[in-house]
Amino acid sequence: MPTANQNRFKNLLFIDVQTVAGAASFDKLDARMQQQWEAKISRYKNEEPWTEADWYDNRASYYAEFGKIISIGIGGLIWSDDDVPRLKVKVLANDDELTILEEFNRIITRSKGTPTFCAHNGKEFDYPYLCRRMVVHGLLLPEPLQLSGRKPWEIPHVDVLEQWQFGDKRHYISLDLLAAALNVPAEPLPWASDQTSFVYHRDHDLSQIRHYAEQSVVMLAQVYLRIAGVPIVDADHVVFSD
């Protein structure tokens, strides 16, 4: 018979989406998209003394219209007979975004029951970004991302940042800082998430991004468990799969 913890965390998937600028630089965009980018950032120009190209390098990955998904980290809790949790982590990383999204859809579709997604700042970034990029590629949204017409309490999404805010929507902190504040043992993330685009276009090393995503999912899961008031997963019980 499933234990209370097994029932409590059943079908919970930890999600980390890493995004980059869709083109390597502003001058690689076609004329139409360059014009759209200039219009997009015109209201922010007073914030930084940047050119359109600088703004693109620093901000394009934020917007699904100008960016793309380069990796999706997925984690799930697996419970042994002695009620000891293990965390299984898989990272989808590919230069071809469509390949990543199709594989992500297959994983979600094969899940038993409707998964509940858990992310950091997921409600404002990861979940809508996934939806938008899937629509761009003409993909049907998996059931957990079909949001139209649903009441807020019917949407199977959890956000650890929202949990930590305790109603204070202005309070934003990074996952790395939250883990440190909660004294969650974790390897510090090698860069801030908004730097992933620089790493990708500068080094073109997917192995770096894959490792980053693995670390992020582990940190996310441990933070969630700490907030939930249950023991975190021992380091030797974290399993990485291809």
Side-chain angles (χ1 to χ4, degrees):
M1 179 179 294
T3 66
N5 275 337
Q6 290 172 350
N7 284 326
R8 183 179 180 186
F9 303 116
K10 183 179 180 181
N11 293 333
L12 183 66
L13 288 183
F14 301 100
I15 303 294
D16 176 75
V17 174
Q18 292 298 314
T19 66
V20 300
S25 60
F26 176 74
D27 60 6
K28 300 294 184 183
L29 295 174
D30 62 36
R32 183 181 185 184
M33 290 303 286
Q34 285 185 353
Q35 182 181 24
Q36 292 298 323
W37 178 252
E38 290 168 352
K40 177 73 176 177
I41 56 93
S42 61
R43 71 182 69 177
Y44 306 115
K45 281 191 173 182
N46 291 332
E47 296 180 9
E48 298 285 352
W50 290 341
T51 65
E52 282 80 3
D54 292 332
W55 276 101
Y56 185 83
D57 289 342
N58 286 276
R59 294 289 187 269
S61 63
Y62 292 11
Y63 305 107
E65 299 81 9
F66 297 95
K68 71 174 185 176
I69 294 170
I70 199 64
S71 78
I72 304 175
I74 307 168
L77 294 170
I78 303 171
W79 299 87
S80 60
D81 293 337
D82 55 0
D83 203 30
V84 174
R86 287 167 172 77
L87 178 65
K88 185 176 181 181
V89 179
K90 181 180 181 65
V91 173
L92 311 177
N94 198 296
D95 294 311
D96 180 48
E97 182 184 50
L98 179 58
T99 298
I100 296 174
L101 295 176
E102 287 178 333
E103 179 60 20
F104 179 76
N105 267 356
R106 282 193 289 269
I107 291 171
I108 301 308
T109 302
R110 290 197 301 262
S111 299
K112 295 180 179 179
T114 300
T116 295
F117 290 170
C118 177
H120 178 270
N121 201 30
K123 291 185 178 180
E124 290 194 1
F125 188 77
D126 300 71
Y127 310 141
Y129 209 109
L130 276 167
C131 291
R132 291 165 186 151
R133 295 309 300 172
M134 286 184 184
V135 170
V136 166
H137 287 286
L139 299 177
L140 293 177
L141 300 178
E143 202 277 336
L145 292 177
Q146 293 176 12
L147 311 182
S148 180
R150 283 183 166 181
K151 299 177 176 63
W153 56 86
E154 296 174 336
I155 298 173
H157 295 170
V158 177
D159 193 323
V160 296
L161 176 61
E162 183 180 70
Q163 291 177 326
W164 182 249
Q165 286 173 330
F166 293 99
D168 180 5
K169 297 297 184 182
R170 298 167 299 174
H171 187 73
Y172 176 86
I173 65 171
S174 67
L175 178 61
D176 219 354
L177 173 55
L178 183 52
L182 294 175
N183 198 29
V184 171
E187 181 182 346
L189 297 176
W191 62 78
S193 60
D194 61 359
Q195 298 297 302
T196 300
S197 188
F198 286 107
V199 174
Y200 175 70
H201 288 298
R202 180 192 65 208
D203 302 334
H204 198 251
D205 187 349
L206 282 176
S207 64
Q208 289 188 75
I209 295 173
R210 183 182 296 276
H211 180 61
Y212 180 95
E214 289 175 344
Q215 290 176 271
S216 295
V217 171
V218 173
M219 187 179 289
L220 170 66
Q222 304 288 44
V223 164
Y224 175 81
L225 293 173
R226 179 61 57 84
I227 292 175
V230 300
I232 63 175
V233 178
D234 291 339
D236 58 353
H237 287 164
V238 177
V239 180
F240 299 102
S241 65
D242 296 329

